[in-house]
Amino acid sequence: DKLVDQFGSKLITPHDMERLQELTIGRGRVSHLHRFLRRNIFFSHRDLTNLLDCVEQKQPIYLYTGRGPSSTAMHLGHLVPFLFTQWLQEAFDCPLVIQMTDDEKFLFKGEYTDETGDNLEHFQSLTMENARDIIACGFDSNKTFLFSDLDYVGKMYPNIVRIWKSVTTNTVNGIFGFDGTSNIGKIAFPAIQAAPSFASSFPVVLDAKRDSNMACLIPCAIDQDPYFRMTRDVAHKLTTNKQHKLGGKPALIHSKFFPPLQGAQGKMSSSDTNSAIFLTDSAEEISRKIKENALSGGQETKKLQEELGANLEMDVSYQWLRFFLEDDDELEQIGKDYGSGSGEYWSTGKVKAKLIEVLQDLVAAHQERRAKITDEEVRKWMSERCILGSKN
């Protein structure tokens, strides 16, 4: 609500959904809208209407998303934008660039000691590990460029410099809360995350110059919106194409908050293994974490549960099923049963058991795909090459 009420984002409307259906299912590329759209998990946008105009008119678009590699193992919260982006790539049959912000993680979390020096190479190595998890999501290798900032920044540098010139330190400090104690890299970094929003940052990969008419769509969580509000404010200075459908601005589509196991008041963290399900977890670990740590919205006694039913909004197991259970009818039935304290899924234990089953299948399938991805294959995905393929 804050994103819409205070920062000018727009809710996805039924008309937007109809257009998405027409331009994806209607063109025979996918069989159904992604469950994240059907369930209002991706719920708001900036310039999606104009982006869909581009698709309708068969003007070129590309997708941009990213990952800050901070741990060897990604968790399910990290997976959400990539699952949706994979569907978007298939649905729109378009190229995708994926930024690995190993530079950012070093600037914000890196360490230095006189004895051992710094740990920049550690974050570089995490890029390779996280790349395997991303590739395992099922993207089209011929239309996907996955890149490390530390490796690729040179090609983006002209646009980074233009963004630096266009944004004041006061603006960056106001948006991100930096002050005089922040290292200069933190203040400079937002421009590096902004640069892939412009096709001209990829002269080979997207065969684009500053006069490109290619529009960018960024699927992201709501906490990434400040970066791209800043980007959109200066976008007109980055393009020389006055006919660009979005005025050079990237379009955004936002996802809602994915709750940690402890509920909305908790924090999903790579450093707290019990706050999340990791893509490296075993079936036994998944079962234990859900049973022991997933916040319940059920009542304290069977009698109260049968009388009052569960609070579905606070129940983490039910909310996670909204993200990961594909069958809409089954999800609706679980919600009815659990919310009323009757039927097959009347209790917390029944709902947790269903979630465990869904997550064990999802994570096992992901691990199987990931295990087949070699260092050589990762390097192919990260090699600079044209990924346009058949244009929109």
Side-chain angles (χ1 to χ4, degrees):
D1 292 345
K2 186 176 181 181
L3 200 63
V4 174
D5 296 341
Q6 297 183 27
F7 294 106
S9 181
K10 295 182 179 179
L11 294 175
I12 295 174
T13 65
H15 178 64
D16 294 330
M17 293 286 281
E18 289 174 7
R19 292 194 70 197
L20 279 163
Q21 183 163 326
E22 177 185 339
L23 295 170
T24 57
I25 300 170
R27 293 186 176 182
R29 291 175 179 155
V30 290
S31 59
H32 52 266
L33 291 178
H34 198 282
R35 61 183 179 273
F36 293 166
L37 286 170
R38 303 195 307 264
R39 296 171 192 168
N40 202 35
I41 289 170
F42 274 81
F43 72 105
S44 90
H45 71 92
R46 298 186 188 278
D47 264 334
L48 180 63
T49 303
N50 287 331
L51 189 284
L52 293 178
D53 288 344
C54 292
V55 175
E56 190 170 56
Q57 296 161 17
K58 298 189 176 180
Q59 296 180 10
I61 71 165
Y62 73 102
L63 301 169
Y64 160 37
T65 190
R67 158 81 179 137
S70 59
S71 62
T72 54
M74 291 169 55
H75 57 59
L76 290 179
H78 297 140
L79 202 59
V80 168
F82 291 111
L83 293 175
F84 186 58
T85 302
Q86 188 278 329
W87 180 87
L88 287 172
Q89 183 182 48
E90 184 178 359
F92 289 135
D93 188 27
C94 64
L96 161 68
V97 296
I98 302 174
Q99 180 184 44
M100 304 297 286
T101 58
D102 36 20
D103 53 344
E104 174 206 19
K105 289 305 174 185
F106 174 69
L107 292 169
F108 283 78
K109 295 187 175 184
E111 298 175 351
Y112 173 87
T113 66
D114 290 337
E115 292 76 23
T116 61
D118 66 44
N119 62 344
L120 179 59
E121 291 182 357
H122 167 67
F123 293 99
Q124 285 182 293
S125 69
L126 293 181
T127 285
M128 291 293 288
E129 288 302 313
N130 286 188
R132 289 184 176 84
D133 280 316
I134 293 168
I135 292 167
C137 291
F139 297 107
D140 183 339
S141 61
N142 294 318
K143 296 181 181 178
T144 304
F145 175 51
L146 198 157
F147 65 97
S148 153
D149 281 345
L150 290 170
D151 291 336
Y152 186 74
V153 71
K155 290 292 178 69
M156 300 192 295
Y157 194 65
N159 279 345
I160 291 169
V161 171
R162 291 185 177 103
I163 297 165
W164 283 338
K165 177 68 173 174
S166 303
V167 181
T168 67
T169 304
N170 283 342
T171 297
V172 172
N173 289 350
I175 295 172
F176 301 102
F178 302 142
D179 57 29
T181 67
S182 302
N183 67 60
I184 59 176
K186 289 183 179 181
I187 297 167
F189 175 75
I192 299 172
Q193 182 162 326
S197 307
F198 305 100
S200 56
S201 292
F202 303 96
V204 173
V205 172
L206 298 178
D207 190 23
K209 299 178 181 178
R210 290 187 69 200
D211 63 354
S212 172
N213 69 337
M214 185 173 276
C216 176
L217 174 61
I218 304 172
C220 62
I222 54 177
D223 63 343
Q224 297 300 301
D225 187 70
Y227 284 99
F228 300 114
R229 290 203 303 271
M230 180 201 78
T231 305
R232 286 166 54 85
D233 284 346
V234 301
H236 62 285
K237 298 183 178 182
L238 276 287
T239 180
T240 60
N241 184 347
K242 303 305 179 185
Q243 305 305 313
H244 191 285
K245 191 74 177 177
L246 281 70
K249 298 178 181 180
L252 308 180
I253 184 166
H254 305 108
S255 70
K256 291 180 178 176
F257 176 66
F258 180 72
L261 283 171
Q262 293 87 346
Q265 301 307 312
K267 178 174 173 55
M268 193 173 294
S269 171
S270 297
S271 60
D272 180 1
T273 57
N274 286 321
S275 68
I277 299 297
F278 290 85
L279 298 177
T280 52
D281 283 348
S282 67
E284 293 74 20
E285 287 172 318
I286 292 170
S287 178
R288 179 190 63 78
K289 287 183 181 183
I290 298 300
K291 289 177 180 177
E292 295 179 3
N293 300 311
L295 181 70
S296 172
Q299 303 300 328
E300 293 183 0
T301 66
K302 179 181 179 181
K303 183 174 184 293
L304 284 173
Q305 176 65 16
E306 291 175 339
E307 289 177 2
L308 304 174
N311 181 339
L312 300 182
E313 290 299 315
M314 72 173 288
D315 190 274
V316 168
S317 297
Y318 176 76
Q319 290 301 318
W320 280 28
L321 284 170
R322 291 189 69 245
F323 279 82
F324 296 117
L325 178 62
E326 180 61 36
D327 191 312
D328 289 339
D329 292 337
E330 188 174 11
L331 180 68
E332 182 180 6
Q333 188 60 53
I334 291 170
K336 285 181 178 178
D337 287 0
Y338 195 30
S340 64
S342 61
E344 181 181 357
Y345 295 100
W346 70 275
S347 70
T348 297
K350 295 288 188 180
V351 177
K352 284 189 173 185
K354 181 62 182 180
L355 177 63
I356 290 167
E357 175 191 329
V358 169
L359 296 186
Q360 286 175 336
D361 289 347
L362 183 153
V363 172
H366 183 92
Q367 290 172 354
E368 183 177 354
R369 293 190 300 269
R370 188 189 193 280
K372 298 174 183 177
I373 299 167
T374 63
D375 286 351
E376 182 180 358
E377 183 170 356
V378 173
R379 283 191 286 270
K380 287 180 181 178
W381 285 71
M382 298 183 76
S383 65
E384 187 182 11
R385 74 231 184 261
C386 183
I387 60 169
L388 292 182
S390 60
K391 298 184 180 181
N392 298 66

